[in-house]
Amino acid sequence: MKYARKRVLVTGGAGFLGSHLCERLLADGHDVLCVDNFYTGTKENIAHLMGNPYFELIRHDVTFPLYLEVDEIFNLACPASPVHYQRDPVQTTKTSVHGAINMLGLAKRIGAKIFQASTSEVYGDPEVHPQVEEYRGAVNPIGPRACYDEGKRCAETLFFDYHRQHSLRIKVARIFNTYGPRMHPDDGRVVSNFIVQALEGRPITIYGDGSQTRSFCFVSDLIEGFVRLMNSPDQVTGPINLGNPREMTIRQLAETVIRLTGARSELVVKPLPADDPLQRQPNITKAKQLLDWEPVVDLDTGLQRTIDYFRTRLEA
Ligand code: NAD
Ligand code: UDP
């Protein structure tokens, strides 16, 4: 066991990132309570953990209060793919804001340390590149992404007010595009879309001219960053960028997926969604200095593991 055994609550624990985090916390020797309402998460993501006596699953919607006794809380509950968070935008904002209020209230009552899965979307369509934590962002407050972006911004506000007003121990991570096994084939995000399209021999859908950029982090790197941030000294509150600084265009990503899958898919152009950020790249100087963290999995390796996962899943 790497650390003393702790009771750790993971909201959104049946989702893509949450399931990897639960797995990692169990491997580190902790008691894990996974809370999820299965809006975008699935039981399949955590089925392999069910037999572990140190793992508990609770079906619960974080927009309602929750009474538990734990030492630490990772608050991940929230749909993350634009397709899913825009399907029921009011519920998305409620999940971020009411969810944060409920989890912060729980942390305050029991004295737990609490981590927030925030996002690079707080920077909106950024005018500062690469994005540093001091940059305040350019979010359209009434656009289709606002339910998510403003919900996450308000959650950060709540975290810092609970910290200042109630001396809560907080950890706020701003996560940049992360991919890997256990993304849902219908997730709608670009990496899973492109891989599934390539494996099924369907056209690859590029939104806009494909010149917009993102920087993709493999899931195991991100989870290492989560654990380091949670275990960092109390004065390290964040917000702290966690992501892979290797930036590329969406067209380059499509070409890489075609090369690695050996697919013959053609590229088809679809309209660019409203408010789609034109460029995104994390500056991770703070994470390097404060957490001694940086990604180690290169894009080809991470994509290959993800392709292998989807190949097995699609064949099943
Ligand atoms: P995901 O959709 O796979 O996981 C989200 C999980 O939260 C799902 O299991 C879903 O069922 C659950 N959930 C949603 N609403 C809920 C509610 N009201 N009550 C309880 N559970 C609820 O997405 P993910 O990629 O694993 O993202 C996890 C977190 O990380 C999210 O908060 C997301 O905003 C954040 N994030 C992820 C990325 C990324 O690239 N993956 C980037 C930035 C931020
Ligand atoms: N995108 C695309 N084709 C797809 C899905 C997404 O070209 O099938 C683009 C999307 O317009 C955006 C980028 O890929 O510019 C990343 O989209 P994603 O939904 O993964 O996440 P975002 O970073 O926009 O939240």
Side-chain angles (χ1 to χ4, degrees), residues 82 145 177 189-190 193-194 205 207 212 214 250 276 280:
R145 297 174 87 99
N177 298 66
R189 282 177 278 189
V190 68
N193 270 12
F194 284 5
T205 52
Y207 301 163
Q212 69 273 33
R214 294 293 186 273
I250 293 304
D276 198 293
R280 181 180 292 158

Side-chain angles (χ1 to χ4, degrees), residues 13 32 35 45-46 59 63 82 154 158 165 185 204 253 257 267:
V32 175
V35 160
N45 282 344
I46 44 164
R59 181 190 284 265
T63 61
C154 185
L158 286 160
Q165 196 176 335
I204 293 199
L253 175 71
V257 168
L267 305 183

Side-chain angles (χ1 to χ4, degrees), residues 11-19 35-42 45 60-63 75-81 84 91 94-96 116-121 148 152 173-179 182-184 187 189 217 222 226:
T11 77
F16 161 50
L17 297 179
S19 63
V35 160
D36 209 294
N37 71 347
F38 301 109
Y39 183 58
T40 49
T42 62
N45 282 344
H60 176 80
D61 181 331
V62 295
T63 61
N75 187 36
L76 272 60
C78 187
S81 160
H84 294 295
Q91 179 63 19
K94 280 188 186 170
T95 294
S96 273
Q116 168 66 359
S118 191
T119 167
S120 52
E121 283 285 322
Y148 182 75
K152 290 283 188 180
R174 289 186 179 153
I175 305 162
F176 284 65
N177 298 66
T178 300
Y179 69 98
R182 292 201 208 116
M183 293 185 94
H184 198 278
D187 179 272
R189 282 177 278 189
C217 184
L222 187 79
F226 280 16

